[in-house]
Amino acid sequence: MANVRVAVDVGGTFTDVCIFDEETQRMRVTKVPSTPEDPMLAVMNGVKRAEINLADVSLFSHGTTVATNALITRNFPTAAMVTTRGFRDVIEIRDGTKDDLWDAYNDVTGPYIRRRDRFEVTERIDYAGNVITPLDEDDARRLAALLRKRGVTTIAVCFINSYANAENEVRMRKILEEELPEATVSTSAEILPEIFEHDRFNTAVSNAVLAPLVSGYVNRLADELKGGGYAGDLLLLHSGGGSMTPRMVKRYPVRLAASGIAAGAIAAKHVAQQCGYENAVGLDMGGTSTDIALVSGGELRITKEWQVEYGHPIVFPSIEVLTIGAGGGSLAHIDIAGSLRNGPQSAGADPGPACYSTGGDQPTNCDANLVLNRLGTTLAGGAKNLDRGLAQEAVNRVIAGPLGMSDEEAAQAILQVANANMADAVRLISIRRGYDPRDFALIAFGGAGALHGAEVARELNIPTVVVPPNPGVTSAMGCLLVDIRHDLSAMYTALASEADPEDLEAQFLNLETEATARLRHEGVDEENSVLQRVISMRYQGQWRSLAVPMGSGKGALEEAIQTFHQEHEREFAFRQDNQPVEIYQLQLSAIGKTPKPSFAPEKELLADPGKPESVRPVYFGADGWVQTPVFDRSALPAGATFIGPAIIDQLDSTTVVPPRTTAEIDEWLNIRIHLTEFKNEEAK
């Protein structure tokens, strides 16, 4: 009987595996080095190392970076774009903005499809959806013949105003499929039926170029798992915080463009709630980068304004995660002005930090922690041995020597810069959004997050740091916590005071019909289906809109308007109750509930940590070398609380609690190590 759930998260340095046994209610974890040349190798290596019998697996969930890496490296198959005559350059003109307004030499990278591969046909739909010019089918078939001659099998069809009427796009797609049966065709109205041509066109183009790569990877992995005995569907985590089966991935591969980073945010939310915190900041510090997410009122922030590369928007709802180049493998260096910098360049998995003894000779955060004795000499369950001598040599040669510092001072400075970078990122996602970090708990996880969490919290006056069990594989655990989810939308522009409630209800019912069909296609029964309505509104005359929950029945619209005023005040520090409110868009989230383990905290959170396993000297800046107790995390009581100094060590990650240096903050700051069993919600 299949009774094991497996989740795999592929990171830049390590691939993490979580295995949950439904019978024993136990979870075990493992890590293997990532294989950038083919991520599937690391996935299967993890399965092999964990000694998983795939025939016993009831659910296999996976967060993948395949789509993200493809967009970054632009390793695409030959693709073409077909658009309305005169609109060939929409994705090149973009919106005219730049990432750095003042850098005249910093140009936005070019479109994913080159200009010579963008073609025009005769057709035109007006803003209201009226067919001004029907599709010229002879023109369309001549273009199909040209694409066949060029050997193009990946095509994006992007017609002007198709969000209002997709008739011409649908016909163009049918012609291409008739003339090029082997082609994969993405239409902008199917992918994103929304206004703003550049956003819609670029999302459709991204979907098209990713289709062969992502589908190929997903199909290969699904076949490999099936060959090993797995009988269920492979679930792929997508950017919106849900999962998709391979059938839906084939239609919407662009939704996997932020697959990997969403898992950590979901895990942070789950751990925070199970530990009693409705407000939390997730600090997921891996080997290459740090991902920061904010949970407010028990909900993750969702954004529709994101991109893998600036200037190339992907307009699907995505968990808002701020990523910076600060990871365990981030390189420390001195810039041309003689200042110490940290990241965003990374040693990655190959060659890795200097202490890995695999060819790296530049100091990283990992090396700095090792020099200060905050890390032991092994990582990943003994899979990686660390050489303290090589770490010290790299820190001395690159940082300490040129700056005239001791090795310990240089290593401490490296970590201070990394912590300052992460604290600034937390400020951006909290204070900049109208949230006070002092009202939040910090969930520190990832391979290096627990090492730095206390110092980041101290910098921001965050009162509590929560370190989950097995923090190094918490993102993989997040893959076990996701539900199947689809996000649909429809344009609806009207003054709220003039909107017909019955028409609004009819529009939402249309979305719900499509959503229900998708969930049924994914094998979700009605009992486990949840539909959540959202309405985007703005003050008349505004350009940007704000999304708020929308109920059903009499008075639902008025309630949404009041919620909009409240959220606008929180987000932008003002509200205008007398200003007309305009409806901009209707959105629907379709969620298929899946069973998941529950992180159940003990009642007592202030447990005595007990006797340490050993004591070792650890360098703590102004306090110098401090004899510090070392505890085995697996032997600590549930909810053990430290007010430092201490080292909480385990095979996958280390937590460092600094000594008391600022009385006011230390009285406030608790490092709570929540160690409990994972329990299945269904068994409660």
Side-chain angles (χ1 to χ4, degrees), residues 121-192:
V121 293
T122 301
E123 71 84 35
R124 190 59 187 263
I125 303 286
D126 72 4
Y127 75 96
N130 300 311
V131 179
I132 303 301
T133 304
L135 174 66
D136 186 329
E137 297 199 9
D138 292 336
D139 198 10
R141 293 189 186 279
R142 282 193 296 269
L143 174 56
L146 176 61
L147 295 177
R148 186 190 308 111
K149 185 176 181 180
R150 289 193 175 194
V152 175
T153 58
T154 302
I155 307 165
V157 179
C158 306
F159 288 169
I160 195 76
N161 294 326
S162 62
Y163 71 91
N165 183 349
E167 179 182 332
N168 285 354
E169 272 196 359
V170 170
R171 183 57 189 153
M172 183 74 217
R173 176 176 188 159
K174 288 182 178 178
I175 290 173
L176 289 171
E177 289 174 343
E178 290 171 6
E179 300 290 334
L180 302 166
E182 72 284 4
T184 300
V185 183
S186 297
T187 62
S188 69
E190 179 190 23
I191 302 302
L192 189 76

Side-chain angles (χ1 to χ4, degrees), residues 12 66 264 340 413 460:
V66 169
L340 174 61
L460 295 164

Side-chain angles (χ1 to χ4, degrees), residues 116-345:
R116 65 187 179 190
D117 295 322
R118 304 197 296 263
F119 304 93
E120 300 174 341
V121 293
T122 301
E123 71 84 35
R124 190 59 187 263
I125 303 286
D126 72 4
Y127 75 96
N130 300 311
V131 179
I132 303 301
T133 304
L135 174 66
D136 186 329
E137 297 199 9
D138 292 336
D139 198 10
R141 293 189 186 279
R142 282 193 296 269
L143 174 56
L146 176 61
L147 295 177
R148 186 190 308 111
K149 185 176 181 180
R150 289 193 175 194
V152 175
T153 58
T154 302
I155 307 165
V157 179
C158 306
F159 288 169
I160 195 76
N161 294 326
S162 62
Y163 71 91
N165 183 349
E167 179 182 332
N168 285 354
E169 272 196 359
V170 170
R171 183 57 189 153
M172 183 74 217
R173 176 176 188 159
K174 288 182 178 178
I175 290 173
L176 289 171
E177 289 174 343
E178 290 171 6
E179 300 290 334
L180 302 166
E182 72 284 4
T184 300
V185 183
S186 297
T187 62
S188 69
E190 179 190 23
I191 302 302
L192 189 76
E194 298 182 12
I195 199 172
F196 295 132
E197 307 307 323
H198 172 237
D199 293 353
R200 177 161 52 85
F201 284 15
N202 196 82
T203 303
V205 164
S206 301
N207 195 79
V209 297
L210 289 174
L213 296 171
V214 173
S215 294
Y217 170 78
V218 170
N219 290 337
R220 283 195 303 120
L221 179 57
D223 290 343
E224 191 78 14
L225 294 173
K226 184 178 179 181
Y230 177 53
D233 266 334
L234 170 64
L235 294 183
L236 285 301
L237 184 69
H238 65 65
S239 60
S243 60
M244 306 163 66
T245 63
R247 292 187 295 273
M248 295 306 293
V249 169
K250 185 177 181 180
R251 291 177 59 185
Y252 303 104
V254 71
R255 296 230 60 185
L256 300 186
S259 169
I261 63 176
I266 294 166
K269 169 188 170 182
H270 189 70
V271 170
Q273 289 181 333
Q274 294 295 320
C275 292
Y277 299 103
E278 289 295 300
N279 296 333
V281 174
L283 183 79
D284 181 5
M285 186 178 182
T288 305
S289 62
T290 294
D291 300 324
I292 299 169
L294 185 137
V295 182
S296 175
E299 295 297 330
L300 288 159
R301 281 183 60 90
I302 301 295
T303 181
K304 292 190 70 175
E305 299 178 10
W306 64 285
Q307 56 265 317
V308 174
E309 288 184 285
Y310 186 84
H312 306 289
I314 297 173
V315 190
F316 270 119
S318 174
I319 294 174
E320 185 177 41
V321 178
L322 181 60
T323 300
I324 63 171
S330 293
L331 299 175
H333 59 281
I334 298 173
D335 66 15
I336 58 175
S339 298
L340 174 61
R341 302 291 180 185
N342 192 306
Q345 301 85 1

Side-chain angles (χ1 to χ4, degrees), residues 24 89 104-105 114 118 148 152 229 243 251 271 282 325 403 412 425 432 462 525 596 641:
T24 64
D89 295 315
Y105 299 98
R114 300 169 297 181
R118 304 197 296 263
R148 186 190 308 111
V152 175
S243 60
R251 291 177 59 185
V271 170
L403 294 181
Q412 179 73 17
R432 189 176 181 180
I462 292 176
D525 57 37
K596 54 186 71 66
T641 298

